[in-house]
């Protein structure tokens, strides 16, 4: 699999390590009343879809950036990649 | 039809005209007491024990493809009970005992071969860990033996003992472990269940559940609606997909695991050898092919095929362990979709929906578990109580903090 790194172009997936579902970027708020349940869901529960999946890959043997890669889990086709940092910053701007 | 030596002789003398089909191909009935989804090893074993041990006859197994099209027909056939943790070891030892009597119980040759398994160690720390594991195994009634290097050299002289990075210092051996014929297990359980009245319905995909007032009434399938008193789900790599149709999210990711077989070679490998440090394990089939594999590919996948980097990684591990295989040729490789749970251990439990039961999370180790899993799931479906060896396999163990993490790597499925 080749991952289209936004800064470095197509890179072999082997240069990356895989973490999992991109929703792991959204940590629950530990001060909320239901924080215990929310954290249990966050740590252990997954959508695990067959089809399009947004997921976190770390460019460990490259520029050490985190990417959010959109990939089809049935075909392994990679549909896009963004810097996780950009996503987070854009979201903060939007708020 | 009963298989026996006498029968083989009789058929040989009469032109083999008396062998019939191993199971019927019935049309689905409008409803059943118990519907099992998934005709893999676990679904079929569940149906078999439901009929044979728990006396349930109005049972159906619904399989979306053909029997054996899932992981049960794709695995590397290793059976063993060499686990460490108290939630696991008694269960796997129960399974080992069922394997030892499986052929008598199903009257079918599953080629169970107790040729032994050896887990190699390379450091003092690993030796201590394996000694501890061996003791845990013996406490649960299993057999275990720590081999030193000289003993191991006699058994497997071809190993690269003086490897610079991972010198082989010895191994933990379980003599009662070994291999079985995966297809034989499918056919034996299917035939045994069918003989006792279970309807095995192939090409029947479950597409939804009918749930009323929090209780399951039946399943929607590609062959129409089928009513059910209870529904047991045993769909391995498709667990999240199927349970999502009942509105449930699972502590699970689906990952692809690859396996490989070489051309037929003369008998060399005495049993199963695992080289954990090098991500490689191997055995030799009765036809002579080296059957081997390594780690999962490591990213979510429903593709039933993997990618080249892991192929290279596995073969490098093989070359490091036994350089002699460099002259052999690879015949085939394939992949299967694993139901990787968040702690690497399975779930056999009720759900919050009345009448809906779940069995899954077997990761890369569910072949050996099939007999005990089927027995325990049948026990749960028939009596509504967990089997004593499977009582730790609950959904709520994650919330309670009672995870069963053999490797101690945390909620990261691609590391289990
Ligand atoms: C390459 C590889 C090597 C392995 N090696 C070993 C090993 O050496 N030792 C070991 O113990 N384990 C091993 N395993 C793991 C083992 O094969 C699995 O854990 C086990 O087979 C899973 O249970 P099962 O047999 O019920 O699954 P499966 O055979 O996958 O059965 C599930 C069935 O459910 C069906 N299904 C799915 N969705 C639906 C639906 N909606 N409706 C109807 N039916 C549906 C599927 O078609 C499938 O037939 C290996 C697996 C792989 C892939």
């Amino acid at each position: 699999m080749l991952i289209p790194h936004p800064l470095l172009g197509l890179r072999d997936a082997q240069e990356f390590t895989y973490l999992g579902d991109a929703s792991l970027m959204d940590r629950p708020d530990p001060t909320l009343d239901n924080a215990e349940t929310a954290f249990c869901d966050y740590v252990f529960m997954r959508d695990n879809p067959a089809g399009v999946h947004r997921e976190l890959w770390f460019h460990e043997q490259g520029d050490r950036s985190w990417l959010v890669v959109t990939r089809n889990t049935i075909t392994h086709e990679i549909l896009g990649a963004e810097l996780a940092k950009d996503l987070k910053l854009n979201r903060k701007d939007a708020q | 039809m009963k298989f026996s030596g006498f029968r083989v002789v009789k058929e040989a003398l009469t032109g083999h005209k008396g062998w019939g089909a191993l199971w019927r191909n019935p049309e689905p009935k409008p409803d059943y007491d118990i519907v099992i989804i998934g005709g893999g090893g676990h679904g079929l074993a569940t149906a078999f024990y439901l009929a044979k041990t728990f006396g349930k006859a109005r049972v159906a197994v619904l399989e979306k493809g053909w029997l054996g099209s899932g992981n049960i027909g794709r695995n590397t056939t290793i059976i063993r009970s060499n686990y460490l943790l108290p939630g696991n070891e008694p269960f796997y030892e129960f399974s080992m005992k069922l394997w030892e009597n499986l052929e008598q119980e199903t009257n079918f040759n599953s080629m169970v071969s107790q040729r032994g398994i050896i887990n190699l160690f390379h450091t003092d720390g690993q030796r201590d860990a394996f000694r501890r594991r061996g003791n845990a195994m013996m406490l649960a009634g299993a057999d275990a033996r720590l081999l030193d290097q000289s003993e191991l050299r006699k058994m497997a002289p071809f190993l690269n003992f003086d490897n610079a990075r991972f010198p082989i210092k010895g191994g933990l051996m379980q003599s009662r472990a070994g291999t079985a014929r995966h297809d034989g297990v499918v056919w034996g359980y299917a035939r045994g269940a069918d003989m006792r009245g279970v309807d095995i319905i192939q090409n029947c995909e479950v597409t939804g559940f009918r749930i009323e007032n929090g209780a399951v009434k039946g399943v929607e399938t590609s062959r129409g609606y089928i009513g059910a008193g209870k529904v047991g789900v045993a769909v391995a790599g498709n667990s999240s997909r199927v349970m999502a149709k009942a509105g449930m999210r699972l502590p699970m990711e689906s990952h692809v695991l690859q396996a490989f077989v070489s051309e037929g070679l003369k008998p060399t490998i005495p049993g199963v050898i695992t080289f954990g440090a090098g991500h490689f394990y191997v055995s030799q089939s009765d036809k002579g092919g080296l059957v081997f594999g390594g780690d999962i590919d490591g990213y979510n996948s429903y593709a039933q095929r993997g990618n080249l980097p892991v192929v290279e990684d596995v073969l490098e591990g093989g070359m490091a362990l036994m350089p002699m295989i460099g002259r052999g040729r690879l015949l085939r490789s394939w992949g299967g979709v694993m139901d990787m749970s968040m702690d690497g251990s399975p779930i056999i439990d009720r759900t919050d929906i009345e009448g809906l039961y779940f069995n899954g999370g077997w990761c890369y180790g569910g072949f050996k578990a099939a007999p005990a899993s089927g027995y325990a799931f049948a026990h749960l479906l028939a009596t509504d109580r967990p089997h004593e060896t499977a009582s730790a396999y609950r959904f709520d163990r994650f919330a309670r903090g009672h995870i069963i993490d053999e490797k101690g790597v945390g909620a990261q499925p691609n590391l289990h």
Side-chain angles (χ1 to χ4, degrees):
Chain A
M1 293 189 297
L2 295 174
I3 296 179
H5 192 299
L7 303 175
L8 303 174
L10 283 182
R11 306 301 312 176
D12 194 322
Q14 254 194 300
E15 295 173 4
F16 295 76
T17 46
Y18 179 80
L19 184 69
D21 195 307
S23 65
L24 289 169
M25 283 166 70
D26 308 317
R27 255 170 197 277
D29 179 348
T31 62
L32 292 180
D33 284 346
N34 69 346
E36 200 176 320
T37 321
F39 266 98
C40 183
D41 270 21
Y42 171 80
V43 174
F44 295 115
M45 301 308 232
R46 299 287 182 271
D47 287 342
N48 191 21
V52 176
H53 189 223
R54 283 165 61 74
E55 53 201 25
L56 285 162
W57 293 73
F58 177 53
H59 201 193
E60 191 174 32
Q61 293 173 53
D63 70 347
R64 305 186 71 80
S65 58
W66 281 96
L67 301 190
V68 173
V69 176
T70 308
R71 197 177 54 94
N72 188 323
T73 59
I74 299 176
T75 60
H76 295 165
E77 184 190 5
I78 294 182
L79 304 162
E82 301 147 277
L83 285 169
K85 191 171 69 180
D86 286 353
L87 284 172
K88 205 92 188 187
L89 289 175
N90 288 346
R91 231 186 295 165
K92 271 211 183 113
D93 287 349
Q95 274 167 9
Chain B
M1 181 172 66
K2 195 165 166 15
F3 289 117
S4 64
F6 171 72
R7 185 73 198 272
V8 172
V9 174
K10 184 172 167 236
E11 290 296 334
L13 295 174
T14 54
H16 291 289
K17 295 201 183 79
W19 304 116
L22 289 188
W23 55 83
R24 300 162 295 136
N25 227 342
E27 285 300 311
K29 297 196 184 88
D31 64 89
Y32 293 91
D33 291 344
I34 300 175
V35 164
I36 308 292
I37 308 175
H42 294 240
L44 292 167
T46 304
F48 175 81
Y49 293 112
L50 271 173
K52 179 160 193 270
T53 311
F54 297 94
K56 305 276 177 201
R58 294 191 69 249
V59 176
V61 178
L62 311 182
E63 164 56 47
K64 76 170 171 185
W66 66 94
L67 296 190
S69 57
N71 292 336
I72 195 69
R74 294 165 185 267
N75 64 76
T76 44
T77 77
I78 298 164
I79 59 177
R80 58 187 171 90
S81 60
N82 56 359
Y83 284 70
L84 171 71
L85 298 177
N88 274 334
E89 181 56 14
F91 173 82
Y92 286 101
E93 178 52 23
F94 176 49
S95 209
M96 202 64 231
K97 294 209 167 74
L98 291 173
W99 280 113
E100 287 175 324
N101 199 34
L102 184 69
E103 288 157 341
Q104 287 67 34
E105 201 165 15
T106 56
N107 176 233
F108 198 84
N109 185 5
S110 322
M111 292 166 69
V112 175
S113 161
Q114 293 180 289
R115 51 185 75 182
I117 188 169
I118 299 170
N119 309 126
L120 302 175
F121 59 77
H122 316 276
T123 63
D124 289 348
Q126 256 190 318
R127 179 194 286 114
D128 288 348
F130 278 166
R131 188 187 296 278
R132 177 174 173 227
R133 176 186 296 253
N135 286 334
M137 290 161 63
M138 288 192 282
L139 282 174
D143 62 307
R145 200 151 67 87
L146 208 63
L147 305 177
D148 62 17
Q149 202 201 48
S150 62
E151 240 178 315
L152 189 57
R153 270 187 196 272
K154 278 184 219 127
M155 287 182 186
F158 50 83
L159 295 178
N160 188 6
F161 284 89
D162 305 318
N163 182 301
R165 177 68 184 83
F166 294 116
I168 298 169
K169 303 288 190 191
L172 176 66
M173 176 157 191
Q174 184 181 23
S175 307
R176 285 163 60 244
T179 57
R181 169 91 199 276
H182 48 4
D183 293 326
V185 176
V186 178
W187 301 331
Y189 275 134
R191 170 174 167 272
D194 175 88
M195 255 164 39
R196 292 171 177 83
V198 173
D199 281 359
I200 295 169
I201 299 161
Q202 302 178 74
N203 300 312
C204 180
E205 178 169 3
V206 171
T207 53
F209 295 91
R210 192 173 291 180
I211 296 166
E212 287 166 14
N213 303 322
V216 70
K217 299 288 170 205
V219 291
E220 306 289 350
T221 80
S222 53
R223 295 176 68 172
Y225 175 76
I226 300 174
K230 288 178 178 175
V231 177
V233 180
V235 294
N238 284 296
S239 291
S240 296
R241 253 170 138 175
V242 171
M243 295 310 276
K245 298 182 204 299
M248 284 181 68
R249 270 176 104 212
L250 300 182
M252 230 167 264
E253 285 178 5
S254 295
H255 285 258
V256 58
L257 175 68
Q258 306 191 58
F260 309 83
V261 65
S262 77
E263 61 186 340
L265 302 169
K266 287 189 176 166
T268 16
I269 315 261
V272 183
I273 299 175
T274 78
F275 174 36
H279 312 287
F280 178 81
Y281 65 92
V282 64
S283 67
Q284 189 166 17
S285 79
D286 292 339
K287 282 193 285 188
L290 302 183
V291 181
F292 57 94
D295 280 348
I296 57 176
D297 271 37
Y299 41 81
N300 287 42
S301 174
Y302 284 91
Q304 288 192 322
R305 61 181 169 76
N307 277 308
L308 195 58
V310 169
V311 177
E312 288 175 340
D313 184 60
V314 170
L315 293 168
E316 280 164 11
M319 283 298 289
L321 181 68
M322 17 187 240
M324 65 170 181
I325 63 167
R327 294 292 182 96
R329 272 173 299 189
L330 196 62
L331 197 62
R332 283 184 294 128
S333 74
W334 62 92
V337 181
M338 318 275 62
D339 34 342
M340 298 298 298
S341 68
M342 287 315 219
D343 60 357
S345 295
I347 292 166
I348 303 177
D349 203 358
R350 281 191 285 253
T351 68
D352 289 339
I353 298 160
E354 203 190 312
L356 182 61
Y357 299 74
F358 177 76
N359 173 321
W362 293 101
C363 302
Y364 43 75
F367 179 65
K368 71 175 89 69
S373 163
Y375 195 100
F377 202 32
H379 186 282
L380 180 68
L381 282 159
T383 68
D384 264 313
R385 279 177 294 113
H387 186 257
E388 54 180 354
T389 62
S391 58
Y393 298 151
R394 309 296 300 272
F395 270 114
D396 65 359
R397 70 172 183 264
F398 299 94
R400 285 185 290 117
H402 285 248
I403 54 167
I404 314 169
D405 188 346
E406 285 275 337
K407 272 203 185 167
V409 293
Q412 190 61 39
N414 61 355
L415 297 182
H416 283 293

